[in-house]
Amino acid sequence: MKTPKSALLSIICTFLLFACSLNDDNNIPNTNTLNPTQYYQELDVAYGNDAKQTFDIYLPADRENTTKVMILVHGGGWSGGDKSEMNLFKNFVRQEHPNVAIVNMNYRLADDNNNPYPMQINDITSVINHLKENSEHYTIGDDFGFIGVSAGGHLSLLWSYAFDTDNDVKMVCSVVGPTNFTDPAYLNNNDAHLQELLDLFGVEPTTAFLEEVSPLHRVTASAPPTILFYGGQDPLIPTTQGTALRDELSDLGVTHEFTLYPDAGHGWVGTDLLDTVLKLKAFTQTYLE
């Protein structure tokens, strides 16, 4: 028969073992709520075990459990790039939409052994799940927007159209993002660099697979409001990547805006950039704030 002292020691040991098991579980939400009246930022928050699975988070002061979140997704041909390249967009959102929280994410990069899809889509899902599971800690809601550039635009559109099962995305912006891998301009291209990027999705993939990874072929009438920007002289993203999605959104009755800068390439400055900023600001105010 245990003495009272040994019984108490046994209870304490059991409790400590249980507590340690909770601390070791990365999926347990952090319920230690931050002060919502104060601005908060944290860099390189881990959402997975890979070194690339990190994000920076910027939380406005006086936020509530309905505070919206803008997620930024960088480009780099699915095999390169870094969230630091989206700092200009981060600064834009902080200045023009001060009541919106911001998450600037990295994702695992593709290489010869790791295809972009579904790996990078899974990373976006992991970020969304992390934010929702820790919404009390951050004091944020579950309404999200996306701004993606190039490959990041493709990933933002694809996730918003095909993987947002809870309809949490309220707007998505793609700047020069690929939309259709069955486009003849891609299938019949003679650009070695472009083909190298496309081959990341597999050499001689089936038409069914190309449609699966194409936002154009995954979009439905329930897609969130979409704003698109493209350059008429872009060597990597044919104009048809933008116009085809624009036409499909029109046919489906999805709220959208489309801008083509005829003389711009895979990015732009000057009056074209100012036009982008003004249109994106108005779109975000309408659909996310």
Side-chain angles (χ1 to χ4, degrees):
M1 179 177 181
K2 291 184 178 179
T3 65
K5 182 180 292 186
S6 63
L8 178 60
L9 182 60
S10 176
I11 292 172
I12 291 174
C13 289
T14 301
F15 173 79
L16 289 176
L17 287 171
F18 178 72
C20 288
S21 68
L22 288 180
N23 290 335
D24 288 340
D25 189 346
N26 291 329
N27 295 319
I28 298 298
N30 186 349
T31 56
N32 180 23
T33 306
L34 299 168
N35 186 345
T37 68
Q38 297 180 355
Y39 170 79
Y40 177 83
Q41 72 176 47
E42 186 176 355
L43 307 181
D44 295 321
V45 180
Y47 66 88
N49 296 323
D50 190 274
K52 274 293 185 181
Q53 291 177 304
T54 64
F55 63 77
D56 303 334
I57 188 167
Y58 306 86
L59 303 174
D62 300 319
R63 60 192 177 276
E64 301 175 343
N65 60 6
T66 56
T67 292
K68 314 284 196 304
V69 182
M70 182 69 84
I71 299 175
L72 309 179
V73 189
H74 70 80
W78 302 283
S79 60
D82 183 80
K83 56 185 168 64
S84 61
E85 297 168 11
M86 296 295 287
N87 280 342
L88 289 178
F89 283 96
K90 178 259 293 182
N91 294 339
F92 158 76
V93 177
R94 286 193 62 192
Q95 177 177 327
E96 303 297 340
H97 309 284
N99 296 320
V100 173
I102 304 166
V103 169
N104 189 9
M105 65 171 289
N106 269 341
Y107 49 85
R108 289 171 292 175
L109 301 178
D111 55 33
D112 291 339
N113 299 313
N114 298 281
N115 294 337
Y117 180 85
M119 177 176 69
Q120 293 167 354
I121 287 295
N122 290 341
D123 281 355
I124 294 178
T125 300
S126 293
V127 169
I128 293 286
N129 288 343
H130 176 95
L131 296 173
K132 293 172 75 170
E133 290 166 1
N134 291 279
S135 60
E136 182 179 344
H137 170 66
Y138 293 126
T139 311
I140 55 174
D142 55 6
D143 289 342
F144 302 98
F146 278 97
I147 299 175
V149 175
S150 193
H154 161 257
L155 295 171
S156 296
L157 291 170
L158 185 59
W159 198 92
S160 299
Y161 292 171
F163 296 90
D164 179 24
T165 56
D166 294 328
N167 296 316
D168 292 324
V169 178
K170 305 309 174 186
M171 63 154 283
V172 56
C173 169
S174 170
V175 181
V176 299
T179 68
N180 179 22
F181 291 103
T182 66
D183 188 337
Y186 274 169
L187 296 179
N188 303 321
N189 84 87
N190 295 311
D191 186 316
H193 176 59
L194 173 59
Q195 191 59 49
E196 183 180 359
L197 295 176
L198 297 175
D199 284 346
L200 289 169
F201 288 90
V203 178
E204 298 183 359
T206 65
T207 298
F209 178 78
L210 292 176
E211 291 178 347
E212 183 177 345
V213 298
S214 296
L216 175 70
H217 294 283
R218 304 298 297 274
V219 65
T220 67
S222 62
T226 301
I227 185 167
L228 305 167
F229 299 95
Y230 290 87
Q233 306 303 315
D234 193 327
L236 298 175
I237 312 297
T239 302
T240 48
Q241 292 289 299
T243 55
L245 182 57
R246 174 202 63 191
D247 295 345
E248 184 67 14
L249 292 171
S250 295
D251 291 344
L252 292 169
V254 175
T255 298
H256 68 282
E257 292 184 15
F258 173 83
T259 301
L260 176 67
Y261 303 109
D263 299 323
H266 199 63
W268 42 85
V269 295
T271 56
D272 287 347
L273 180 58
L274 178 60
D275 181 73
T276 300
V277 168
L278 293 176
K279 288 177 177 176
L280 182 54
K281 175 182 177 181
F283 199 85
T284 302
Q285 286 175 333
T286 301
Y287 298 107
L288 191 63
E289 286 194 30

